[in-house]
Amino acid sequence: MKKAEFQLETVTCPSCIKKIESTLNKTEGVDSAKVLFSSSKVKAEFDESKISAEKIKEVISNLGYSVLSSKIS
Amino acid sequence: MIRHINKHKNHITAISGILIALGFIFGLSGYKDLKGIVLIAATAIAATPIVIKAFQAIRMKVFSIELLVTLAVIGALYIGEYIESSVVTFLFLFGDYLEARTLEKTRSSLKSLIDMAPQEATVIREGRKVTVPVEEVVKDDRVIIRSGGKVPVDGRIISGKASLNEASVTGEPVPAFKKVDDKVFSGTIIDNGYIEIEAEKVGDDTTFARIIELVEEAQESKSKAEKFLDKFAEIYTPAVVVLSVIVYAVTRNLHLAITFLVIACPGALVIGAPVSNVAGIGNGAKNGVLIKGGEVMDKLSRVHTIVFDKTGTLTKGKPEVTDIKTLKSYNANELLRLSAEAETISEHHLGHTIIKEAKAKKLNIKGEGVSGEVVKGHGIIARVEGHMLAIGNRKLMDEQNISISDEASDYALNREKKGNTAIFAAIDGEVAGIISIADRIREDAKMALAEMKNNGVRRIVMLTGDNKHTAGLVADELGLDEFHGELLPEDKVEFIKRLKSKGRIVAMAGDGINDAPAIATADIGLAMGEGGTDVSMETADLVLMADKLMQFSHAYSLSKATIRNMKQNIFFAVAVVFVLLSGVLSGYVNLASGMFIHEASVLVVILNAMRLIGFNSKSIREERNYKMSADDYK
């Protein structure tokens, strides 16, 4: 299980949180995903044998939110 | 392509705004057809980024606000309402832009903290100075920081000295002076001086990094009110969508149904409470108080009783020399110097206090050539520079057959009544002076407690393991409502449980180790005496970075202001929902004005929350003033 933190561009609408969280939580291999609204960050725990951090980043970008930086631990 | 459109969203907004204005001008000058074309163009341009987002969400099989707006706009175009379609799309984008700008402001407190994060460090590697990115500093690295530089990691000074601005960690504006063996924190800035430190905590483990992480998490942790609003919004949006379908089915009025879709965006309702919290918690962080989330904020604002531990919480927890009375020809400094020299053979904490005081007065204590013995429970006898010294309590004087004059005896009694320990210092068989030592009450305690009382705390109670006499003196001095002495840690827990069973909200401030159970039992726990250590930051609900009671008072006023602000926002948001719903049903609110009210209400709650950023309670102001005048005095 790995943890990733993505810094997004400023998230403004509260509905974006729902959108990103529910999409990620449906994604295969993502164990849990949380959007930190006030700091515009996404924290996700994922199974690296099923999905890569790069792939998660892609999912977020595909939703229309550009990822500025990411940190994996 | 998509990225390109998103990047130019602001330009798109501006262009569509201009086109709408143009459309109105054409309309007024009678060019009806031209007006229609221009407005359709404005709609098409502004709708592009919205439709893209809606499509992206659909592809992932998730619902989005953009989808609602897209449907509404398609509907408006279908029934030929070009003004509404263009105004709705424009307002949606423009609102988003304004919200991003203003939200940034409410988040600015935290951002200004993050911006203080150090970027690079100068370390000594293989005997050479190299500058590396801060991420590459490892534990035990030797790091050099010059005047004006930022401390890159947490560490211990191994050489040099400096005055440091620690505002980023403690919220204290006055520089702290640090020397060898003192700890320095990442993110603090050297005002003046030069130091070399040994890295102890690096990367995400530094106090600074953890503060930021805690604040970020606190801003997300929701209060009950917020959770309720989230639930409400979750029901509200689909309910309005269903309602719009029903309205259409019943009335066959597509226009009305579409209007419902637009107002279904729950804007102010969802954002109202969190923005207040974010701004409030941000304000706290900037002033050196970490408030761990909306729930703590809420409870703190409703605190009934505050329970304090005595030693280290209301008092400094470190005994200090409060007075030196001379009775013979020796002056105070000389008496202190000889006594300190003699005490170098002692292990007793009162002895250490005397030595510390002598060193603070820059007296030269050699600690060599002193011979003597410790008389357990009484004091010491020592030979210093040819003099025989006996330093200790009355019993030691009696034992050594040293007579205590009435003057000395009265004086000592008087000091003891004021909460001091009186230590007799006899030189060559005569009492030469009396050194008073006491654990002093924190300078800001009285002011902070009075202020909290003033602002609405009902009872302030002190619980201590110390004897009743000393406890009584402190309680009197501070004007407490109630105090209990000679308590064990479990007695304190019992006491708090009893208060809670009476339905009172209790805050407990104590030292992090032996008061930990009581702190955990209370509704709000606060660890003092070690601001910013791992334990207190992890377990406490409230962390005072600079260990100042005035910060506690600020946190209390801040929580009240934040909750008040949040209530205003919630009330306003709910009112807007009703205005919109009834407005739409009665036909007063159409698509465009519905969107306008919606966006405006979101801005209003954000602007209201922004007031909290600058909230500057009396405690913080007074603290600053006090510091200023203290500095002048120096």
Side-chain angles (χ1 to χ4, degrees), chain A residues 10-12 14-15 18-19 22-23 26 36-38 41 43 62-64, chain B residues 53 56 61-62 65-66 96 100 104 107 216-217 219-220 234 270 278:
Chain A
T10 312
V11 186
T12 52
S15 70
K18 276 264 139 52
K19 209 175 6 172
S22 53
T23 309
K26 273 194 295 194
L36 306 186
F37 179 58
S38 36
K41 276 184 187 167
K43 280 190 180 176
N62 279 343
L63 275 177
Chain B
K53 277 246 160 93
Q56 283 173 324
K61 297 191 192 67
V62 284
I65 294 299
E66 286 86 0
D96 192 51
E104 209 130 279
R107 297 165 179 170
E216 275 179 5
E217 276 170 16
Q219 290 185 332
E220 297 305 322
E234 246 166 63
V270 181
V278 166

PDB file of all heavy atoms in Angstrom, chain A residues 10-12 14-15 18-19 22-23 26 36-38 41 43 62-64, chain B residues 53 56 61-62 65-66 96 100 104 107 216-217 219-220 234 270 278:
ATOM      1  N   THR A  10      -6.004  25.464  -7.993  1.00  0.00           N
ATOM      2  CA  THR A  10      -6.992  25.816  -6.973  1.00  0.00           C
ATOM      3  C   THR A  10      -8.366  25.226  -7.280  1.00  0.00           C
ATOM      4  O   THR A  10      -8.925  25.455  -8.346  1.00  0.00           O
ATOM      5  CB  THR A  10      -7.115  27.342  -6.861  1.00  0.00           C
ATOM      6  OG1 THR A  10      -5.811  27.880  -6.787  1.00  0.00           O
ATOM      7  CG2 THR A  10      -7.917  27.737  -5.651  1.00  0.00           C
ATOM      8  N   VAL A  11      -8.876  24.441  -6.356  1.00  0.00           N
ATOM      9  CA  VAL A  11     -10.207  23.855  -6.513  1.00  0.00           C
ATOM     10  C   VAL A  11     -11.204  24.843  -5.921  1.00  0.00           C
ATOM     11  O   VAL A  11     -11.049  25.277  -4.789  1.00  0.00           O
ATOM     12  CB  VAL A  11     -10.303  22.525  -5.746  1.00  0.00           C
ATOM     13  CG1 VAL A  11     -11.631  21.853  -6.024  1.00  0.00           C
ATOM     14  CG2 VAL A  11      -9.163  21.609  -6.132  1.00  0.00           C
ATOM     15  N   THR A  12     -12.228  25.215  -6.690  1.00  0.00           N
ATOM     16  CA  THR A  12     -13.139  26.234  -6.174  1.00  0.00           C
ATOM     17  C   THR A  12     -14.508  25.702  -5.804  1.00  0.00           C
ATOM     18  O   THR A  12     -15.088  26.125  -4.821  1.00  0.00           O
ATOM     19  CB  THR A  12     -13.333  27.361  -7.204  1.00  0.00           C
ATOM     20  OG1 THR A  12     -13.691  26.754  -8.435  1.00  0.00           O
ATOM     21  CG2 THR A  12     -12.097  28.177  -7.359  1.00  0.00           C
ATOM     22  N   PRO A  14     -17.256  23.192  -4.362  1.00  0.00           N
ATOM     23  CA  PRO A  14     -17.323  22.053  -3.451  1.00  0.00           C
ATOM     24  C   PRO A  14     -17.748  20.786  -4.187  1.00  0.00           C
ATOM     25  O   PRO A  14     -17.402  19.691  -3.773  1.00  0.00           O
ATOM     26  CB  PRO A  14     -18.401  22.463  -2.457  1.00  0.00           C
ATOM     27  CG  PRO A  14     -18.552  23.927  -2.606  1.00  0.00           C
ATOM     28  CD  PRO A  14     -18.169  24.273  -3.984  1.00  0.00           C
ATOM     29  N   SER A  15     -18.460  20.934  -5.290  1.00  0.00           N
ATOM     30  CA  SER A  15     -18.927  19.741  -5.994  1.00  0.00           C
ATOM     31  C   SER A  15     -17.771  19.025  -6.677  1.00  0.00           C
ATOM     32  O   SER A  15     -17.857  17.844  -6.981  1.00  0.00           O
ATOM     33  CB  SER A  15     -19.997  20.105  -7.015  1.00  0.00           C
ATOM     34  OG  SER A  15     -19.433  20.813  -8.080  1.00  0.00           O
ATOM     35  N   LYS A  18     -16.568  16.074  -4.539  1.00  0.00           N
ATOM     36  CA  LYS A  18     -17.388  14.868  -4.731  1.00  0.00           C
ATOM     37  C   LYS A  18     -16.970  14.162  -6.005  1.00  0.00           C
ATOM     38  O   LYS A  18     -16.778  12.953  -6.023  1.00  0.00           O
ATOM     39  CB  LYS A  18     -18.861  15.275  -4.858  1.00  0.00           C
ATOM     40  CG  LYS A  18     -19.549  15.463  -3.550  1.00  0.00           C
ATOM     41  CD  LYS A  18     -20.297  14.210  -3.145  1.00  0.00           C
ATOM     42  CE  LYS A  18     -20.140  13.948  -1.671  1.00  0.00           C
ATOM     43  NZ  LYS A  18     -20.488  15.114  -0.857  1.00  0.00           N
ATOM     44  N   LYS A  19     -16.838  14.965  -7.056  1.00  0.00           N
ATOM     45  CA  LYS A  19     -16.528  14.408  -8.358  1.00  0.00           C
ATOM     46  C   LYS A  19     -15.209  13.628  -8.296  1.00  0.00           C
ATOM     47  O   LYS A  19     -15.131  12.482  -8.714  1.00  0.00           O
ATOM     48  CB  LYS A  19     -16.429  15.550  -9.369  1.00  0.00           C
ATOM     49  CG  LYS A  19     -16.799  15.116 -10.736  1.00  0.00           C
ATOM     50  CD  LYS A  19     -16.867  16.176 -11.817  1.00  0.00           C
ATOM     51  CE  LYS A  19     -16.454  17.569 -11.548  1.00  0.00           C
ATOM     52  NZ  LYS A  19     -16.403  18.394 -12.757  1.00  0.00           N
ATOM     53  N   SER A  22     -15.368  10.539  -5.673  1.00  0.00           N
ATOM     54  CA  SER A  22     -16.140   9.356  -6.061  1.00  0.00           C
ATOM     55  C   SER A  22     -15.506   8.671  -7.266  1.00  0.00           C
ATOM     56  O   SER A  22     -15.540   7.451  -7.370  1.00  0.00           O
ATOM     57  CB  SER A  22     -17.608   9.711  -6.316  1.00  0.00           C
ATOM     58  OG  SER A  22     -17.704  10.767  -7.219  1.00  0.00           O
ATOM     59  N   THR A  23     -14.910   9.457  -8.163  1.00  0.00           N
ATOM     60  CA  THR A  23     -14.238   8.821  -9.299  1.00  0.00           C
ATOM     61  C   THR A  23     -13.065   7.968  -8.816  1.00  0.00           C
ATOM     62  O   THR A  23     -12.926   6.805  -9.206  1.00  0.00           O
ATOM     63  CB  THR A  23     -13.694   9.884 -10.278  1.00  0.00           C
ATOM     64  OG1 THR A  23     -14.737  10.783 -10.588  1.00  0.00           O
ATOM     65  CG2 THR A  23     -13.181   9.224 -11.540  1.00  0.00           C
ATOM     66  N   LYS A  26     -13.851   4.796  -7.049  1.00  0.00           N
ATOM     67  CA  LYS A  26     -14.368   3.744  -7.920  1.00  0.00           C
ATOM     68  C   LYS A  26     -13.234   3.097  -8.718  1.00  0.00           C
ATOM     69  O   LYS A  26     -13.395   2.034  -9.295  1.00  0.00           O
ATOM     70  CB  LYS A  26     -15.395   4.322  -8.903  1.00  0.00           C
ATOM     71  CG  LYS A  26     -16.806   4.354  -8.332  1.00  0.00           C
ATOM     72  CD  LYS A  26     -17.837   4.606  -9.404  1.00  0.00           C
ATOM     73  CE  LYS A  26     -17.680   5.989 -10.018  1.00  0.00           C
ATOM     74  NZ  LYS A  26     -18.830   6.412 -10.810  1.00  0.00           N
ATOM     75  N   LEU A  36      -8.473  17.407  -0.127  1.00  0.00           N
ATOM     76  CA  LEU A  36      -8.365  18.482   0.864  1.00  0.00           C
ATOM     77  C   LEU A  36      -8.770  19.763   0.154  1.00  0.00           C
ATOM     78  O   LEU A  36      -7.985  20.325  -0.593  1.00  0.00           O
ATOM     79  CB  LEU A  36      -6.940  18.591   1.412  1.00  0.00           C
ATOM     80  CG  LEU A  36      -6.310  17.331   2.002  1.00  0.00           C
ATOM     81  CD1 LEU A  36      -4.966  17.667   2.615  1.00  0.00           C
ATOM     82  CD2 LEU A  36      -7.211  16.715   3.053  1.00  0.00           C
ATOM     83  N   PHE A  37      -9.992  20.165   0.395  1.00  0.00           N
ATOM     84  CA  PHE A  37     -10.544  21.291  -0.355  1.00  0.00           C
ATOM     85  C   PHE A  37      -9.755  22.575  -0.151  1.00  0.00           C
ATOM     86  O   PHE A  37      -9.386  23.246  -1.105  1.00  0.00           O
ATOM     87  CB  PHE A  37     -12.000  21.498   0.055  1.00  0.00           C
ATOM     88  CG  PHE A  37     -12.670  22.640  -0.635  1.00  0.00           C
ATOM     89  CD1 PHE A  37     -12.756  22.677  -2.013  1.00  0.00           C
ATOM     90  CD2 PHE A  37     -13.207  23.690   0.085  1.00  0.00           C
ATOM     91  CE1 PHE A  37     -13.374  23.722  -2.659  1.00  0.00           C
ATOM     92  CE2 PHE A  37     -13.831  24.745  -0.550  1.00  0.00           C
ATOM     93  CZ  PHE A  37     -13.912  24.759  -1.932  1.00  0.00           C
ATOM     94  N   SER A  38      -9.466  22.899   1.112  1.00  0.00           N
ATOM     95  CA  SER A  38      -8.862  24.205   1.366  1.00  0.00           C
ATOM     96  C   SER A  38      -7.404  24.282   0.942  1.00  0.00           C
ATOM     97  O   SER A  38      -6.876  25.363   0.784  1.00  0.00           O
ATOM     98  CB  SER A  38      -9.022  24.593   2.832  1.00  0.00           C
ATOM     99  OG  SER A  38      -8.908  23.474   3.640  1.00  0.00           O
ATOM    100  N   LYS A  41      -5.587  19.721  -2.448  1.00  0.00           N
ATOM    101  CA  LYS A  41      -4.724  18.552  -2.564  1.00  0.00           C
ATOM    102  C   LYS A  41      -5.565  17.284  -2.585  1.00  0.00           C
ATOM    103  O   LYS A  41      -6.649  17.249  -2.032  1.00  0.00           O
ATOM    104  CB  LYS A  41      -3.805  18.461  -1.350  1.00  0.00           C
ATOM    105  CG  LYS A  41      -2.558  19.307  -1.464  1.00  0.00           C
ATOM    106  CD  LYS A  41      -1.671  19.066  -0.271  1.00  0.00           C
ATOM    107  CE  LYS A  41      -0.495  20.016  -0.275  1.00  0.00           C
ATOM    108  NZ  LYS A  41       0.208  20.003   1.005  1.00  0.00           N
ATOM    109  N   LYS A  43      -5.236  13.317  -1.449  1.00  0.00           N
ATOM    110  CA  LYS A  43      -4.433  12.291  -0.795  1.00  0.00           C
ATOM    111  C   LYS A  43      -5.047  10.941  -1.139  1.00  0.00           C
ATOM    112  O   LYS A  43      -6.246  10.751  -0.969  1.00  0.00           O
ATOM    113  CB  LYS A  43      -4.451  12.489   0.719  1.00  0.00           C
ATOM    114  CG  LYS A  43      -3.502  13.572   1.188  1.00  0.00           C
ATOM    115  CD  LYS A  43      -3.382  13.574   2.694  1.00  0.00           C
ATOM    116  CE  LYS A  43      -2.420  14.676   3.130  1.00  0.00           C
ATOM    117  NZ  LYS A  43      -2.335  14.792   4.577  1.00  0.00           N
ATOM    118  N   ASN A  62      -7.910  13.711 -16.323  1.00  0.00           N
ATOM    119  CA  ASN A  62      -9.013  13.436 -17.238  1.00  0.00           C
ATOM    120  C   ASN A  62     -10.323  14.035 -16.763  1.00  0.00           C
ATOM    121  O   ASN A  62     -11.219  14.299 -17.550  1.00  0.00           O
ATOM    122  CB  ASN A  62      -9.185  11.929 -17.439  1.00  0.00           C
ATOM    123  CG  ASN A  62      -8.182  11.400 -18.444  1.00  0.00           C
ATOM    124  OD1 ASN A  62      -7.591  12.178 -19.201  1.00  0.00           O
ATOM    125  ND2 ASN A  62      -7.969  10.099 -18.440  1.00  0.00           N
ATOM    126  N   LEU A  63     -10.437  14.233 -15.463  1.00  0.00           N
ATOM    127  CA  LEU A  63     -11.636  14.875 -14.930  1.00  0.00           C
ATOM    128  C   LEU A  63     -11.620  16.372 -15.168  1.00  0.00           C
ATOM    129  O   LEU A  63     -12.592  17.063 -14.923  1.00  0.00           O
ATOM    130  CB  LEU A  63     -11.753  14.604 -13.428  1.00  0.00           C
ATOM    131  CG  LEU A  63     -12.420  13.306 -12.990  1.00  0.00           C
ATOM    132  CD1 LEU A  63     -12.362  13.183 -11.487  1.00  0.00           C
ATOM    133  CD2 LEU A  63     -13.861  13.253 -13.456  1.00  0.00           C
ATOM    134  N   GLY A  64     -10.456  16.870 -15.584  1.00  0.00           N
ATOM    135  CA  GLY A  64     -10.362  18.287 -15.879  1.00  0.00           C
ATOM    136  C   GLY A  64      -9.645  19.105 -14.819  1.00  0.00           C
ATOM    137  O   GLY A  64      -9.790  20.313 -14.755  1.00  0.00           O
TER     138      GLY A  64
ATOM    139  N   LYS B  53     -16.037  19.877 -19.069  1.00  0.00           N
ATOM    140  CA  LYS B  53     -15.999  19.312 -17.704  1.00  0.00           C
ATOM    141  C   LYS B  53     -17.141  18.327 -17.508  1.00  0.00           C
ATOM    142  O   LYS B  53     -16.966  17.252 -16.925  1.00  0.00           O
ATOM    143  CB  LYS B  53     -16.115  20.440 -16.666  1.00  0.00           C
ATOM    144  CG  LYS B  53     -14.775  21.121 -16.370  1.00  0.00           C
ATOM    145  CD  LYS B  53     -14.321  20.861 -14.951  1.00  0.00           C
ATOM    146  CE  LYS B  53     -12.827  21.085 -14.804  1.00  0.00           C
ATOM    147  NZ  LYS B  53     -12.463  22.423 -14.385  1.00  0.00           N
ATOM    148  N   GLN B  56     -16.282  15.168 -19.319  1.00  0.00           N
ATOM    149  CA  GLN B  56     -15.228  14.412 -18.634  1.00  0.00           C
ATOM    150  C   GLN B  56     -15.797  13.640 -17.447  1.00  0.00           C
ATOM    151  O   GLN B  56     -15.424  12.508 -17.192  1.00  0.00           O
ATOM    152  CB  GLN B  56     -14.132  15.367 -18.150  1.00  0.00           C
ATOM    153  CG  GLN B  56     -13.221  15.830 -19.274  1.00  0.00           C
ATOM    154  CD  GLN B  56     -12.268  16.899 -18.804  1.00  0.00           C
ATOM    155  OE1 GLN B  56     -12.628  17.744 -17.983  1.00  0.00           O
ATOM    156  NE2 GLN B  56     -11.051  16.881 -19.308  1.00  0.00           N
ATOM    157  N   LYS B  61     -18.455   8.393 -15.332  1.00  0.00           N
ATOM    158  CA  LYS B  61     -19.732   7.999 -14.726  1.00  0.00           C
ATOM    159  C   LYS B  61     -19.991   8.710 -13.396  1.00  0.00           C
ATOM    160  O   LYS B  61     -20.465   8.117 -12.438  1.00  0.00           O
ATOM    161  CB  LYS B  61     -19.806   6.486 -14.518  1.00  0.00           C
ATOM    162  CG  LYS B  61     -19.740   5.709 -15.825  1.00  0.00           C
ATOM    163  CD  LYS B  61     -20.095   4.254 -15.574  1.00  0.00           C
ATOM    164  CE  LYS B  61     -19.769   3.383 -16.765  1.00  0.00           C
ATOM    165  NZ  LYS B  61     -18.313   3.282 -17.031  1.00  0.00           N
ATOM    166  N   VAL B  62     -19.592   9.974 -13.303  1.00  0.00           N
ATOM    167  CA  VAL B  62     -19.966  10.729 -12.106  1.00  0.00           C
ATOM    168  C   VAL B  62     -20.795  11.950 -12.490  1.00  0.00           C
ATOM    169  O   VAL B  62     -20.631  12.527 -13.565  1.00  0.00           O
ATOM    170  CB  VAL B  62     -18.743  11.185 -11.256  1.00  0.00           C
ATOM    171  CG1 VAL B  62     -18.181  10.032 -10.486  1.00  0.00           C
ATOM    172  CG2 VAL B  62     -17.708  11.868 -12.109  1.00  0.00           C
ATOM    173  N   ILE B  65     -22.075  19.355 -11.392  1.00  0.00           N
ATOM    174  CA  ILE B  65     -22.844  20.591 -11.521  1.00  0.00           C
ATOM    175  C   ILE B  65     -22.818  21.069 -12.971  1.00  0.00           C
ATOM    176  O   ILE B  65     -23.797  21.581 -13.498  1.00  0.00           O
ATOM    177  CB  ILE B  65     -22.233  21.678 -10.602  1.00  0.00           C
ATOM    178  CG1 ILE B  65     -22.391  21.290  -9.136  1.00  0.00           C
ATOM    179  CG2 ILE B  65     -22.840  23.035 -10.873  1.00  0.00           C
ATOM    180  CD1 ILE B  65     -23.811  21.134  -8.678  1.00  0.00           C
ATOM    181  N   GLU B  66     -21.650  20.870 -13.599  1.00  0.00           N
ATOM    182  CA  GLU B  66     -21.505  21.304 -14.990  1.00  0.00           C
ATOM    183  C   GLU B  66     -22.554  20.645 -15.882  1.00  0.00           C
ATOM    184  O   GLU B  66     -23.041  21.244 -16.841  1.00  0.00           O
ATOM    185  CB  GLU B  66     -20.095  20.975 -15.512  1.00  0.00           C
ATOM    186  CG  GLU B  66     -18.992  21.873 -14.972  1.00  0.00           C
ATOM    187  CD  GLU B  66     -18.444  21.395 -13.634  1.00  0.00           C
ATOM    188  OE1 GLU B  66     -18.931  20.358 -13.132  1.00  0.00           O
ATOM    189  OE2 GLU B  66     -17.545  22.052 -13.089  1.00  0.00           O
ATOM    190  N   ASP B  96     -16.930  31.434 -10.901  1.00  0.00           N
ATOM    191  CA  ASP B  96     -15.831  30.530 -10.626  1.00  0.00           C
ATOM    192  C   ASP B  96     -14.520  31.308 -10.464  1.00  0.00           C
ATOM    193  O   ASP B  96     -13.734  31.063  -9.559  1.00  0.00           O
ATOM    194  CB  ASP B  96     -15.719  29.540 -11.790  1.00  0.00           C
ATOM    195  CG  ASP B  96     -14.810  28.387 -11.464  1.00  0.00           C
ATOM    196  OD1 ASP B  96     -15.011  27.775 -10.408  1.00  0.00           O
ATOM    197  OD2 ASP B  96     -13.897  28.113 -12.254  1.00  0.00           O
ATOM    198  N   ALA B 100     -12.427  31.680  -7.031  1.00  0.00           N
ATOM    199  CA  ALA B 100     -11.029  31.245  -6.938  1.00  0.00           C
ATOM    200  C   ALA B 100     -10.184  32.346  -6.317  1.00  0.00           C
ATOM    201  O   ALA B 100      -9.351  32.100  -5.447  1.00  0.00           O
ATOM    202  CB  ALA B 100     -10.495  30.882  -8.321  1.00  0.00           C
ATOM    203  N   GLU B 104      -8.774  32.070  -2.427  1.00  0.00           N
ATOM    204  CA  GLU B 104      -7.338  32.142  -2.236  1.00  0.00           C
ATOM    205  C   GLU B 104      -7.018  33.007  -1.022  1.00  0.00           C
ATOM    206  O   GLU B 104      -6.127  32.721  -0.247  1.00  0.00           O
ATOM    207  CB  GLU B 104      -6.697  32.748  -3.482  1.00  0.00           C
ATOM    208  CG  GLU B 104      -5.307  32.264  -3.715  1.00  0.00           C
ATOM    209  CD  GLU B 104      -5.147  31.782  -5.150  1.00  0.00           C
ATOM    210  OE1 GLU B 104      -5.537  30.643  -5.429  1.00  0.00           O
ATOM    211  OE2 GLU B 104      -4.655  32.577  -5.950  1.00  0.00           O
ATOM    212  N   ARG B 107      -7.594  31.310   2.171  1.00  0.00           N
ATOM    213  CA  ARG B 107      -6.561  30.299   2.387  1.00  0.00           C
ATOM    214  C   ARG B 107      -5.190  30.942   2.553  1.00  0.00           C
ATOM    215  O   ARG B 107      -4.194  30.253   2.691  1.00  0.00           O
ATOM    216  CB  ARG B 107      -6.511  29.347   1.201  1.00  0.00           C
ATOM    217  CG  ARG B 107      -7.790  28.576   1.028  1.00  0.00           C
ATOM    218  CD  ARG B 107      -7.845  27.940  -0.329  1.00  0.00           C
ATOM    219  NE  ARG B 107      -9.070  27.161  -0.506  1.00  0.00           N
ATOM    220  CZ  ARG B 107      -9.457  26.661  -1.665  1.00  0.00           C
ATOM    221  NH1 ARG B 107      -8.710  26.845  -2.729  1.00  0.00           N
ATOM    222  NH2 ARG B 107     -10.560  25.974  -1.746  1.00  0.00           N
ATOM    223  N   GLU B 216      -3.590  21.729   7.643  1.00  0.00           N
ATOM    224  CA  GLU B 216      -4.314  21.278   6.453  1.00  0.00           C
ATOM    225  C   GLU B 216      -5.391  20.273   6.831  1.00  0.00           C
ATOM    226  O   GLU B 216      -6.519  20.342   6.360  1.00  0.00           O
ATOM    227  CB  GLU B 216      -3.355  20.618   5.457  1.00  0.00           C
ATOM    228  CG  GLU B 216      -2.676  21.623   4.547  1.00  0.00           C
ATOM    229  CD  GLU B 216      -1.705  20.969   3.588  1.00  0.00           C
ATOM    230  OE1 GLU B 216      -1.633  19.717   3.558  1.00  0.00           O
ATOM    231  OE2 GLU B 216      -1.013  21.696   2.889  1.00  0.00           O
ATOM    232  N   GLU B 217      -5.014  19.337   7.697  1.00  0.00           N
ATOM    233  CA  GLU B 217      -5.994  18.333   8.102  1.00  0.00           C
ATOM    234  C   GLU B 217      -7.105  18.955   8.941  1.00  0.00           C
ATOM    235  O   GLU B 217      -8.272  18.611   8.791  1.00  0.00           O
ATOM    236  CB  GLU B 217      -5.313  17.203   8.876  1.00  0.00           C
ATOM    237  CG  GLU B 217      -4.736  16.178   7.929  1.00  0.00           C
ATOM    238  CD  GLU B 217      -3.851  15.186   8.633  1.00  0.00           C
ATOM    239  OE1 GLU B 217      -3.918  15.099   9.871  1.00  0.00           O
ATOM    240  OE2 GLU B 217      -3.081  14.503   7.936  1.00  0.00           O
ATOM    241  N   GLN B 219      -8.282  21.914   8.772  1.00  0.00           N
ATOM    242  CA  GLN B 219      -9.199  22.676   7.940  1.00  0.00           C
ATOM    243  C   GLN B 219     -10.187  21.765   7.226  1.00  0.00           C
ATOM    244  O   GLN B 219     -11.246  22.200   6.809  1.00  0.00           O
ATOM    245  CB  GLN B 219      -8.423  23.525   6.938  1.00  0.00           C
ATOM    246  CG  GLN B 219      -7.678  24.658   7.636  1.00  0.00           C
ATOM    247  CD  GLN B 219      -6.984  25.590   6.683  1.00  0.00           C
ATOM    248  OE1 GLN B 219      -6.595  25.199   5.590  1.00  0.00           O
ATOM    249  NE2 GLN B 219      -6.799  26.827   7.080  1.00  0.00           N
ATOM    250  N   GLU B 220      -9.826  20.487   7.086  1.00  0.00           N
ATOM    251  CA  GLU B 220     -10.743  19.554   6.432  1.00  0.00           C
ATOM    252  C   GLU B 220     -11.691  18.884   7.417  1.00  0.00           C
ATOM    253  O   GLU B 220     -12.752  18.434   7.042  1.00  0.00           O
ATOM    254  CB  GLU B 220      -9.962  18.450   5.704  1.00  0.00           C
ATOM    255  CG  GLU B 220      -9.075  18.949   4.588  1.00  0.00           C
ATOM    256  CD  GLU B 220      -9.825  19.772   3.561  1.00  0.00           C
ATOM    257  OE1 GLU B 220     -10.973  19.432   3.247  1.00  0.00           O
ATOM    258  OE2 GLU B 220      -9.261  20.777   3.088  1.00  0.00           O
ATOM    259  N   GLU B 234     -26.558  17.086  -0.342  1.00  0.00           N
ATOM    260  CA  GLU B 234     -26.627  15.825  -1.075  1.00  0.00           C
ATOM    261  C   GLU B 234     -28.067  15.488  -1.455  1.00  0.00           C
ATOM    262  O   GLU B 234     -28.320  14.906  -2.494  1.00  0.00           O
ATOM    263  CB  GLU B 234     -26.058  14.699  -0.207  1.00  0.00           C
ATOM    264  CG  GLU B 234     -24.785  14.099  -0.759  1.00  0.00           C
ATOM    265  CD  GLU B 234     -24.089  13.252   0.280  1.00  0.00           C
ATOM    266  OE1 GLU B 234     -24.670  12.247   0.710  1.00  0.00           O
ATOM    267  OE2 GLU B 234     -22.974  13.639   0.678  1.00  0.00           O
ATOM    268  N   VAL B 270     -22.972  24.723   0.678  1.00  0.00           N
ATOM    269  CA  VAL B 270     -21.881  23.786   0.922  1.00  0.00           C
ATOM    270  C   VAL B 270     -20.620  24.511   1.359  1.00  0.00           C
ATOM    271  O   VAL B 270     -19.857  24.040   2.186  1.00  0.00           O
ATOM    272  CB  VAL B 270     -21.585  22.971  -0.352  1.00  0.00           C
ATOM    273  CG1 VAL B 270     -20.468  21.986  -0.100  1.00  0.00           C
ATOM    274  CG2 VAL B 270     -22.826  22.261  -0.808  1.00  0.00           C
ATOM    275  N   VAL B 278     -11.922  27.479   7.650  1.00  0.00           N
ATOM    276  CA  VAL B 278     -10.603  27.594   7.035  1.00  0.00           C
ATOM    277  C   VAL B 278      -9.968  28.924   7.415  1.00  0.00           C
ATOM    278  O   VAL B 278      -8.807  28.983   7.823  1.00  0.00           O
ATOM    279  CB  VAL B 278     -10.713  27.461   5.502  1.00  0.00           C
ATOM    280  CG1 VAL B 278      -9.429  27.914   4.829  1.00  0.00           C
ATOM    281  CG2 VAL B 278     -11.031  26.030   5.127  1.00  0.00           C
TER     282      VAL B 278
END
